[in-house]
Structures are given as C-alpha cells and as structure tokens.
Amino acid sequence: MNSIEQILHSMDMQYHEKRANMARLAEDSLAPLKISEETKSYLDKKILCDMNEGARPYRPRYVLPDYVKFIKQGSEYLDIQPPKDLYEAVNAMLILYKYVPSITGYPVYVGQIDDVLEPFMDTVSEKEAYNLIKMLLINIDRTLPDAFVHMNIGPKDSKVGRLVIQIERELRKAIPNVTLKCSEETPDDLIKYGIESALENIKPYFVNHKLMTNDLGEDYGVVSCYNSLRIGGGAHTLTRLNLKALAEESKDYEDFMNVQLPKAVKSLSELTNARIKYLVEDVKFFESSFLAKEELIDLNKFKSMLSIYGTFECVEIFTGKQMGHDERANEVAEEICKRFAELVRNEDALYCGGTKGKHGVHAQGGLESDTDTTPAIRIKYGCEPDIFDHINLSGKLHKYFDTGCSDIYLFDETAKNNIDGMLRVVKGALENGIRVLSINSDSSEFIRITGYLVKKTDINKFNEGKNLREDSVVLGALSMKNGIEERKVRTV
C-alpha cells in the first residue's frame, strides 16, 4: 500500500506513468508462476533473470503487426477502410500504433515503413509527402515517448526511406530508433546517406540483410534495441543467463561447459516455457486480441528469446585474458557462444512456430542494474581492440544469435570528412558477418546505450531532477554509471 500511495502522490510522474506503474504493482501482487526449486535458485542467485517482465505475463514482450496487410485490408475493429492516399495511410498507421501492445506499453515496431507508404507516394506532391512523413515521425516521438520504438527501411532504395533519414537528421530526436537493412541491392549512396546521418544522430542502424534472411526469411523486423523477429509475429518473452555469475559458480572451464551451462540453459528454458504457457493458455492473449482475429499477427510466427550477457567477464575468468586481445580468449568466447546456441536449440519451446518449435538465441544488451558485467557478447567499454580485430571477432560470434546481436563503434569527428572510408568500414563489417552495426561520432549529442538512444542534454535534465516525457531517458541515465562513456573512439 505504501508503494501505491507513493505512486499516487508522486510529483515526478505524469498520469500515464502512474497508470503504468499501478498496473505493474497489480500484476506483481499475484503469486509467481510455478517453476522448479532449481530454477528458483538460479533466479535468487541472479544467474537467471526474467528481465523484470512481471509475475504474470498478459501480453507478449514484442509484437510486430503486419502493417502492409493492415494497409491493404483496413480494420473492422478500428473502423478503418483501406487507405486511398498518403494522408489516409499515415492517419491509419497513427491510429493502429495506439493499439499495439508490448512490454514497454508502447509498440516496439512501427513498421517496415517504406513498404507501407511507398505505394502512396504518387498520390501527393513532393512537398506534401515530406510534410506527411515529418508529421508521422513527430507524432511517433510525441505520443510514443519510448526509445525502444523502432522503424525499419531498406534494403531497396525508396523515396520514403530517404525522407525518413533526411527528416530524422533534421528533427534530431531519439524516437523512433531506425534500421537500414543493407544488401547487394542497397545502393552505396543510400548507405553513405545513412552514414552521414548516423555520425550525427546514431540513426540508422546498419543491418546484415543476407544473414537475417538466412535465419528468418524475408519478412523480418528489427525492433526495440536490435532484436530480430518475424513480421506478423514477435517474441512472447525474453529471459537471460548471466555467464559471469555462472562461471563464478563453476569449478573450472570443463565443469562450466559440460555441467553448469547445460543445467542453467535447461532452467532458462523451463522459466521461458512457463511464461509462454501462461500467456497463451491461461490469459489466452491470442484468442482475445483483435490483432490476431484480423490476422495482423499469428501465433505461429511468434518465438521466445533465450539470451546471454557477461561473456567478456566469463572468458576472463577462465583464461585470465581479454576477448579481442588474445587468441585463446577469442576461441573460448566462440566455444561458449556455440555451446549456448546448441543447448538452446536442443530444448523444446512452447508455441514458438517462428523458430520451428525451438527458442530463439539472443545476445542481450544489458540492464541499467548490471554492474561490472558487460552486455551481450561485447567487449568491455574501454578495452576494445583495433577496429579490424574487433570486427573479425564479432563476425565469428554474431552468427550464433538469430534473434539479435549488435556492435557499437564510436568514431572521432574526422570520420565525417571521410564518408568513403566509413562506407568501407560498414560494408566490410556486414560482409564479415556482423549482424547489426551502430556507428556514431564522439561529438554527437546522442548516446547509444545498449541498443536504444538518449540525448546527452536529456540525461543532464534528468540528473537535475526535471520530469521528462521519454521513459527511456531514466534507463539511459542510470546506465551511464556502467562505463558507457569509456567506449573507445576510433579513427578512419
């Protein structure tokens, strides 16, 4: 009751924030789901983590509606007819966004926006198209104030895609996150246009379209931080394993690989399946959601996400060396990633048709509460090797994580004067096997935390005690203590 009173009387939260926190309290007032004592022990020791998703999941963590299908068929539930021009298409999208659930309360996916809107570009003038897409992006920033909201463009060139990059560069806002899918059909000048933008505002991400389609097929989306899921599907839940903590519980490397890791993955699968079963069978989300009834989402396209973090520290414990700086450490890192992926795929997953009845494998980007534990399979901030050694190592590791993995490279100001050199870096990284790549310059007012963006000025405002519209600024400000500003600055 004290927590309820604190929320009700808080001067630091707006109405929608109070409502969301009250809902979380109500959910967590229920008894936890039934799991084995061994799995409970792993949770208590913080070897396993449920990502604070709540005691009783009543909506999937991530939902990716088929927005192209929505535009073609309209929606009976929302009383929307198929749009006839760009005005109606933008209006329809803005309406649907308000009805798309996720763990954050906001949609984590606002569409492969070029596929959605490009067919309507010839229904208006160039000026009108610019104004409408600008209105769309401003509306998303103001009404969906969460940096995990994610928009995709590419790999084909399009007027819509170029306008998104142009306008986002002009607006200089953290929301939405933007991804540019890159393949052989993506023209170099479009990638260079994206690079110029990214060196200012960290948008867009650059995505290895070939690797993604090999894992997921053509209809995939990159959402939230950098998670890769099927359009029309999503992820029921995300759970994670702290490799550092598990290593500290192990006798030696052999015990870790052959005894402790298999046991921990089995418990991680149990935890995940318990949450999925409750969502699908008890809450019956897919039987009640209009998104499912109108076939904008399909249970058979959903999956789960089993993830790791603390790989850097885990490797250091067993080798005494750092990833990126020692060949044996690099070999151990790959052995661990490969073993984790194999163990995950040996476990049966409930209602995970999106990955053919198996769990998805993920490298999780970390939480603001993580201290002395490096996100995902990344190298600890400030310990990064030469960029080409870094790319080579990451290329070996990213292939194991079909539901998401990314790298973040920070460049000095001179990179803006060498866009051709940056193009070689970006294309070389993707060709080398990096799944998702983020670049930025050290002079940018934006910071990529783990996969989402915040502005330095907003972090300063939060630290001064000011109330901000964007929920994710709080997470970003709290995460800064984990050494993010120590990222190595590269030159080209």
Side-chain angles (χ1 to χ4, degrees):
M1 290 300 295
N2 288 337
S3 295
I4 294 173
E5 289 289 350
Q6 288 170 0
I7 292 171
L8 290 174
H9 292 92
S10 172
M11 297 296 290
D12 297 323
M13 287 186 275
Q14 297 297 315
Y15 160 72
H16 72 280
E17 295 171 302
K18 291 184 178 183
R19 181 179 61 181
N21 280 292
M22 293 284 282
R24 174 55 61 85
L25 276 179
E27 181 184 358
D28 285 344
S29 69
L30 300 173
L33 298 175
K34 187 176 181 180
I35 52 176
S36 68
E37 290 301 319
E38 183 171 36
T39 299
K40 287 180 185 176
S41 175
Y42 279 125
L43 287 168
D44 291 341
K45 293 178 182 178
K46 301 190 183 304
I47 292 173
L48 301 187
C49 172
D50 64 5
M51 295 293 292
N52 304 315
E53 285 187 355
R56 300 290 185 94
Y58 60 93
R59 72 297 194 206
R61 182 177 182 90
Y62 301 133
V63 176
L64 286 72
D66 188 337
Y67 291 111
V68 171
K69 186 171 188 177
F70 163 70
I71 288 294
K72 289 180 179 178
Q73 72 181 27
S75 169
E76 181 180 354
Y77 180 81
L78 296 176
D79 193 17
I80 292 176
Q81 298 299 314
K84 298 184 292 294
D85 57 32
L86 190 59
Y87 284 93
E88 292 183 358
V90 168
N91 185 55
M93 293 292 284
L94 291 175
I95 292 171
L96 181 55
Y97 291 154
K98 301 297 291 184
Y99 292 86
V100 178
S102 82
I103 189 64
T104 67
Y106 301 103
V108 295
Y109 179 65
V110 291
Q112 180 74 38
I113 203 66
D114 44 5
D115 286 352
V116 174
L117 297 182
E118 193 72 17
F120 300 98
M121 289 296 282
D122 62 357
T123 65
V124 297
S125 67
E126 289 185 8
K127 181 179 181 180
E128 288 173 304
Y130 171 89
N131 288 336
L132 283 166
I133 292 175
K134 185 175 182 179
M135 180 186 73
L136 173 73
L137 294 169
I138 290 174
N139 190 288
I140 288 171
D141 174 70
R142 304 302 192 274
T143 65
L144 308 176
D146 187 272
F148 298 103
V149 173
H150 210 124
M151 176 179 287
N152 291 189
I153 56 176
K156 295 180 291 186
D157 201 353
S158 68
K159 295 177 182 178
V160 171
R162 287 181 181 264
L163 279 174
V164 166
I165 294 174
Q166 174 190 341
I167 295 168
E168 280 297 307
R169 194 173 175 183
E170 294 170 0
L171 294 176
R172 307 187 75 80
K173 296 294 182 181
I175 303 165
N177 217 331
V178 178
T179 281
L180 172 60
K181 299 176 179 179
C182 298
S183 72
E184 292 180 355
E185 69 176 320
T186 311
D188 282 356
D189 72 307
L190 176 58
I191 299 175
K192 288 166 69 172
Y193 195 48
I195 290 170
E196 291 171 348
S197 175
L199 290 174
E200 293 185 8
N201 65 358
I202 327 186
K203 298 183 188 181
Y205 265 129
F206 300 91
V207 171
N208 191 328
H209 185 64
K210 181 179 180 180
L211 182 57
M212 293 292 199
T213 53
N214 287 342
D215 287 338
L216 302 171
E218 289 283 343
D219 292 330
Y220 73 91
V222 178
V223 308
S224 186
C225 283
Y226 49 80
N227 309 317
S228 313
L229 303 166
R230 292 186 64 187
I231 294 173
H236 298 293
T237 186
L238 167 59
T239 55
R240 64 179 191 159
L241 167 60
N242 184 339
L243 292 180
K244 175 189 175 184
L246 187 64
E248 292 171 340
E249 291 273 314
S250 303
K251 297 175 184 176
D252 50 33
Y253 184 54
E254 183 179 354
D255 179 54
F256 173 84
M257 291 290 277
N258 298 325
V259 179
Q260 303 304 330
L261 190 57
K263 286 171 58 180
V265 169
K266 189 166 288 295
S267 282
L268 192 64
S269 176
E270 180 201 351
L271 173 65
T272 305
N273 280 334
R275 299 185 65 79
I276 296 171
K277 187 175 186 293
Y278 184 82
L279 174 69
V280 176
E281 296 182 6
D282 292 7
V283 173
K284 300 184 187 302
F285 172 83
F286 293 93
E287 295 181 36
S288 61
S289 171
F290 85 92
L291 295 170
K293 291 177 180 177
E294 296 188 1
E295 299 182 344
L296 301 178
I297 60 173
D298 181 349
L299 173 59
N300 293 318
K301 293 182 179 179
F302 274 74
K303 64 175 74 170
S304 59
M305 304 170 70
L306 271 60
S307 62
I308 55 173
Y309 70 113
T311 311
F312 180 90
E313 289 77 14
C314 177
V315 170
E316 199 169 32
I317 287 170
F318 291 124
T319 67
K321 304 292 183 179
Q322 293 183 342
M323 292 168 54
H325 298 276
D326 179 81
E327 189 58 36
R328 179 56 186 156
N330 293 347
E331 290 172 356
V332 168
E334 183 167 10
E335 288 169 5
I336 291 171
C337 291
K338 182 179 180 180
R339 179 70 167 146
F340 175 72
E342 289 172 347
L343 291 168
V344 167
R345 294 190 177 110
N346 283 336
E347 295 291 326
D348 290 330
L350 294 177
Y351 302 107
C352 287
T355 33
K356 299 178 181 178
K358 300 295 180 181
H359 299 291
V361 186
H362 185 64
Q364 199 274 326
L367 296 177
E368 70 282 358
S369 57
D370 297 337
T371 56
D372 300 319
T373 311
T374 303
I377 57 170
R378 294 181 187 154
I379 294 172
K380 185 177 179 180
Y381 306 125
C383 298
E384 300 94 337
D386 172 271
I387 189 169
F388 298 108
D389 290 338
H390 199 164
I391 287 172
N392 286 332
L393 175 59
S394 295
K396 293 176 182 178
L397 304 183
H398 280 215
K399 62 177 176 285
Y400 297 108
F401 300 93
D402 59 0
T403 57
C405 192
S406 78
D407 260 12
I408 303 171
Y409 296 141
L410 183 64
F411 293 88
D412 70 13
E413 181 74 9
T414 61
K416 295 179 180 180
N417 301 321
N418 189 4
I419 300 302
D420 286 332
M422 287 300 304
L423 177 66
R424 289 193 293 273
V425 170
V426 170
K427 292 183 70 174
L430 298 179
E431 290 168 1
N432 200 63
I434 285 182
R435 187 174 290 269
V436 179
L437 175 66
S438 173
I439 61 171
N440 189 25
S441 70
D442 59 347
S443 61
S444 172
E445 63 180 321
F446 290 84
I447 301 173
R448 189 172 289 284
I449 302 298
T450 55
Y452 62 96
L453 310 181
V454 293
K455 295 179 73 171
K456 295 175 184 177
T457 51
D458 286 339
I459 289 177
N460 292 336
K461 289 176 183 177
F462 171 80
N463 290 334
E464 292 168 0
K466 295 181 180 179
N467 187 239
L468 299 172
R469 184 180 72 252
E470 297 90 344
D471 296 351
S472 38
V473 172
V474 178
L475 302 179
L478 295 175
S479 294
M480 292 300 291
K481 68 180 184 296
N482 294 330
I484 289 171
E485 290 185 302
E486 296 175 15
R487 281 183 182 137
K488 185 174 181 179
V489 179
R490 320 291 189 143
T491 57
V492 181

